[in-house]
Amino acid sequence: MSVQFKFLPRKNPQDITAPEKFYAAAIANVETDLDNLAELISYQCAVTEADCYAVLMSLEHNIVSELKEGRIVKLGRLDNF
């Protein structure tokens, strides 16, 4: 599978009179969901798919809850929310 890109023009916010520059942006063409992630994770460890799904659902619930409280949620290499 290859990654597809599109090129988007961006203005310099510090100098709006400067000419636009073009930056590559990856195009996402396929989605995955919690069900699929749970299945993939279960193949990589000794935990069942149902257990993986439960943990992912709990993670989602707690991220939303923490964001509602105004907290920054740090997820390592996934970055921060």
Side-chain angles (χ1 to χ4, degrees):
M1 182 203 280
S2 64
V3 177
Q4 296 179 348
F5 293 92
K6 61 182 173 182
F7 296 95
L8 302 174
R10 305 267 189 209
K11 287 190 177 270
N12 180 346
Q14 296 176 341
D15 182 5
I16 58 172
T17 62
E20 293 178 329
K21 292 185 178 181
F22 287 82
Y23 294 89
I27 299 172
N29 56 4
V30 179
E31 292 182 352
T32 194
D33 59 14
L34 291 182
D35 291 330
N36 190 48
L37 288 173
E39 181 180 359
L40 292 170
I41 293 167
S42 71
Y43 292 142
Q44 298 168 354
C45 61
V47 181
T48 68
E49 183 178 339
D51 290 338
C52 291
Y53 185 77
V55 170
L56 290 171
M57 290 296 297
S58 181
L59 176 65
E60 178 184 46
H61 170 80
N62 286 295
I63 288 172
V64 170
S65 177
E66 292 298 299
L67 291 173
K68 285 180 180 178
E69 292 294 321
R71 296 184 179 101
I72 296 171
V73 179
K74 295 184 177 186
L75 290 177
R77 291 181 287 174
L78 290 178
D79 213 350
N80 303 334
F81 290 88

